[in-house]
Amino acid sequence: MNLFSLKGKRALVTGGTHGLGMAMAEGLADAGAELVISSTTPEKLKKALEYYKGKGYKASGYIFDITEEEEAAKKVQEIYNNEGPIDILVNNAGIIKRELAIDMKVSDFRRVIDVDLVGAFIMSQLVARDMIERGGGKIINICSMMTELGRNSVTAYAAAKGGLKMLTQNLATEWAKYNIQVNGIGPGYFATSQTAPIRVDGHPFNDFIINRTPAARWGNPEDLAGTAVFLASKASDFINGQVVYVDGGILATIGKPINEK
């Protein structure tokens, strides 16, 4: 089981203040990692740190915008100075703008690409420089089912997440020789506070997800923890440039799931 131990490792999780980011951060901490959480919202960061420390985890937090290169570089250096080197980077921070492509403002499209794709590049580049010097590290990009599939009204998000897959593969190609593994996680549909209003019996989208998912349920946030730990640990040292989809089987089928009548 030492293959999966993260004891003595430090993980920076961008946007790890709530939802799936928090679930993955908690999994990493349970495996022994020290947490560093970033956010753009002081109130969310304070609440998240109280939660982590209440669980007995060692955790610190920093406020900065991952899309601002100079600001991010200063904060990453501050993290190194205050906490120590970053062994694991989870590029989790992201936004979505639900609007039909024909109506979407170019500025909104650019903002989604900037946060979901360019921000991941900026953080990966900043952290990888030190990882190269130290002889290795783990970078995990949080992709999506929209990395592989289109969906109505999420054009910018799908474009960003599709690009994130190729960023993952190209960074793995360039940095594998430095013992840096760059992989991705593609979550399916999960039970979070954001999806609570539609996760009720009789809601069309709730019925759609349950019927189209071979596992016949929404994912629980903790379902992501094992994959995050695996990709952050020594157990995945020869896995590089891959996206692991944690989706209950949705992407595995275009047919009629066994649970659908």
Side-chain angles (χ1 to χ4, degrees):
M1 293 305 294
N2 287 336
L3 282 173
F4 299 93
S5 174
L6 300 179
K7 187 176 181 180
K9 301 295 184 181
R10 185 172 295 104
L12 168 57
V13 183
T14 66
T17 58
H18 61 283
L20 302 186
M22 177 172 275
M24 289 183 285
E26 192 169 353
L28 298 177
D30 282 337
E34 174 187 332
L35 298 178
V36 181
I37 305 301
S38 79
S39 177
T40 58
T41 309
E43 295 78 12
K44 287 183 177 180
L45 184 63
K46 179 181 178 182
K47 185 176 180 180
L49 289 177
E50 289 174 352
Y51 173 80
Y52 289 131
K53 292 177 180 179
K55 297 277 287 187
Y57 304 142
K58 185 175 181 181
S60 57
Y62 292 79
I63 296 291
F64 65 96
D65 185 341
I66 62 171
T67 70
E68 297 293 334
E69 184 180 1
E70 291 186 5
E71 179 185 356
K74 289 178 181 179
K75 288 296 183 176
V76 167
Q77 187 59 54
E78 191 176 326
I79 292 168
Y80 289 149
N81 293 341
N82 295 343
E83 318 301 336
I86 297 166
D87 304 290
I88 303 153
L89 169 66
V90 181
N91 283 313
N92 167 75
I95 61 173
I96 189 170
K97 175 72 173 178
R98 299 184 185 277
E99 190 168 8
L100 294 176
I102 198 69
D103 299 321
M104 177 171 273
K105 294 179 181 178
V106 173
S107 58
D108 288 336
F109 184 91
R110 284 189 175 129
R111 180 57 182 166
V112 174
I113 297 294
D114 209 25
V115 175
D116 294 5
L117 181 57
V118 179
F121 171 74
I122 289 172
M123 293 303 299
S124 296
Q125 185 184 66
L126 289 172
V127 171
R129 288 168 178 157
D130 182 69
M131 289 180 173
I132 289 171
E133 290 186 7
R134 292 189 296 111
K138 303 281 187 174
I139 297 175
I140 303 171
N141 294 323
I142 305 307
C143 298
S144 164
M145 288 200 304
M146 300 305 103
T147 297
E148 301 290 346
L149 299 173
R151 182 169 174 79
N152 190 42
S153 78
V154 293
T155 296
Y157 182 79
K161 294 300 185 178
L164 191 57
K165 174 183 177 179
M166 296 312 301
L167 178 66
T168 299
Q169 292 183 342
N170 278 271
L171 295 185
T173 300
E174 292 191 19
W175 297 343
K177 63 184 178 182
Y178 302 116
N179 190 33
I180 297 173
Q181 290 81 53
V182 187
N183 292 291
I185 298 175
Y189 289 94
F190 277 76
T192 65
S193 58
Q194 291 93 330
T195 61
I198 61 175
R199 283 186 288 105
V200 293
D201 291 342
H203 192 288
F205 195 73
N206 182 65
D207 293 344
F208 170 76
I209 293 303
I210 292 175
N211 286 337
R212 299 310 299 170
T213 304
R217 67 174 177 86
W218 292 74
N220 296 313
E222 55 268 27
D223 288 328
L224 284 175
T227 307
V229 170
F230 171 61
L231 292 178
S233 71
K234 188 173 178 57
S236 62
D237 277 358
F238 202 56
I239 297 175
N240 222 340
Q242 304 301 310
V243 179
V244 180
Y245 292 97
V246 186
D247 65 355
I250 287 182
L251 288 177
T253 179
I254 61 171
K256 190 174 184 180
I258 194 169
N259 53 285
E260 186 177 17
K261 296 179 181 179

